Amino acid sequence: NAGVMQNPRHLVRRRGQEARLRCSPMKGHSHVYWYRQLPEEGLKFMVYLQKENIIDESGMPKERFSAEFPKEGPSILRIQQVVRGDSAAYFCASSSDMDSIGYGYTFGSGTRLTVV
Amino acid sequence: QQQVKQSPQSLIVQKGGISIINCAYENTAFDYFPWYQQFPGKGPALLIAIRPDVSEKKEGRFTISFNKSAKQFSLHIMDSQPGDSATYFCAASSYKAAGNKLTFGGGTRVLVKP
C-alpha cells in the first residue's frame, strides 16, 4: 500500500508561469489536505478537499491559487502567475473517514517549488 | 486565536540525554495535540499524539506531557540518539472542526551529538 504520492518532487518555474502540483492519496482515502511550508517555518494549512468538493479553503490565498480533487485522478494544487514568494515546500496529506475525526493523517514527501 | 507557539527553535543534546520541546496554545477548542517528526527532504511523520483527557502519554522513548489549565504541552525524548536528529513540530486541532485542520508550531530543530 503506497503512501501519499506527490509529484513532481522538485519544480522550477519562472515568474509568471503556472505551477501544477499533484497529490495521489493513499488507497481508500477520500480526504486530502494541502499545506505550505516556507523555509525554517512550520506548515500552514491551505485547503481541505473531499472527492469533487472543497470543504475548507480558509488558508488559500485569494488570488492565483486553486485546488481540485476530481472523482478520478489525483488532487491538483494550481498556482497561476507564480511569484518568488510562492517558493516553498507544498505538502499533501490524506486521511480516511475514520482518521478525519481526529486520529491524524499521512503526509507525502512534498513538492519543492522554486520560482526564479 | 489559532496560534501554537513552540520553543526552543533549536536544541543540541548529547547522546543519551533528554530533549524537551514545549508548546503553548490559546484556542480552548483544541482537543487533539499531535507531534510530528520531519527529516530533511521528507514530509512530517506522526510521532505521538494526546487528547486533553489525559495528562501524559508515553510511547517508547517519547512522552507527551499535557497541562490543560496552562494550555501547554511538551515532548520529552528520553535517551536521545543521533537518529533522533530532526525537526519536531507540535500541532493542534479541534475534533469538532470540519476536516481536522492542523495548526502547527514553528518547529524545533534537534541535533543529537554522538
Side-chain angles (χ1 to χ4, degrees):
Chain A
N1 184 15
V4 177
M5 304 301 292
Q6 289 189 250
N7 65 82
R9 291 295 307 275
H10 300 274
L11 182 62
V12 179
R13 284 288 178 265
R14 294 187 184 278
R15 281 179 293 172
Q17 290 184 322
E18 178 180 287
R20 281 186 175 234
L21 288 62
R22 295 174 184 78
C23 170
S24 296
M26 289 182 67
K27 186 177 180 180
H29 285 190
S30 59
H31 303 257
V32 166
Y33 311 78
W34 286 92
Y35 286 77
R36 177 165 64 176
Q37 184 177 33
L38 296 172
E40 307 300 323
E41 292 188 14
L43 286 80
K44 297 287 194 291
F45 170 80
M46 299 182 75
V47 62
Y48 160 47
L49 311 101
Q50 293 184 24
K51 283 287 186 181
E52 300 184 277
N53 289 303
I54 296 174
I55 306 302
D56 182 348
E57 57 181 348
S58 58
M60 287 278 271
K62 298 299 181 189
E63 298 177 349
R64 301 188 297 108
F65 285 72
S66 62
E68 63 177 10
F69 188 17
K71 186 177 181 181
E72 301 290 338
S75 175
I76 305 288
L77 179 67
R78 182 182 178 200
I79 310 172
Q80 295 179 294
Q81 299 176 329
V82 296
V83 300
R84 287 209 171 132
D86 297 332
S87 295
Y90 292 83
F91 290 97
C92 168
S94 74
S95 69
S96 65
D97 284 338
M98 175 61 74
D99 291 339
S100 69
I101 62 171
Y103 294 93
Y105 39 66
T106 305
F107 281 90
S109 293
T111 292
R112 278 135 189 96
L113 172 66
T114 302
V115 179
V116 297
Chain B
Q1 267 287 6
Q2 296 294 314
Q3 199 172 14
V4 176
K5 295 183 179 178
Q6 183 172 348
S7 63
Q9 286 188 313
S10 62
L11 182 60
I12 299 175
V13 63
Q14 291 295 130
K15 179 183 175 182
I18 302 173
S19 303
I20 301 175
I21 306 170
N22 301 299
C23 284
Y25 64 97
E26 297 179 6
N27 187 347
T28 54
F30 286 148
D31 55 12
Y32 174 68
F33 303 90
W35 285 88
Y36 283 83
Q37 180 188 56
Q38 185 179 31
F39 293 104
K42 301 294 185 182
L46 180 65
L47 194 61
I48 186 173
I50 198 169
R51 294 196 178 278
D53 51 347
V54 297
S55 60
E56 187 175 282
K57 183 174 181 179
K58 184 176 181 180
E59 289 185 2
R61 296 184 294 108
F62 300 93
T63 299
I64 299 179
S65 297
F66 185 82
N67 186 330
K68 187 174 181 178
S69 61
K71 292 186 286 186
Q72 295 175 348
F73 56 111
S74 60
L75 176 70
H76 291 60
I77 306 174
M78 313 300 286
D79 187 26
S80 297
Q81 299 297 312
D84 296 333
S85 296
T87 301
Y88 293 81
F89 293 96
C90 62
S93 71
S94 172
Y95 179 98
K96 298 179 182 67
N100 195 22
K101 175 173 65 179
L102 287 171
T103 299
F104 281 86
T108 298
R109 184 173 291 182
V110 174
L111 175 63
V112 181
K113 289 194 169 182

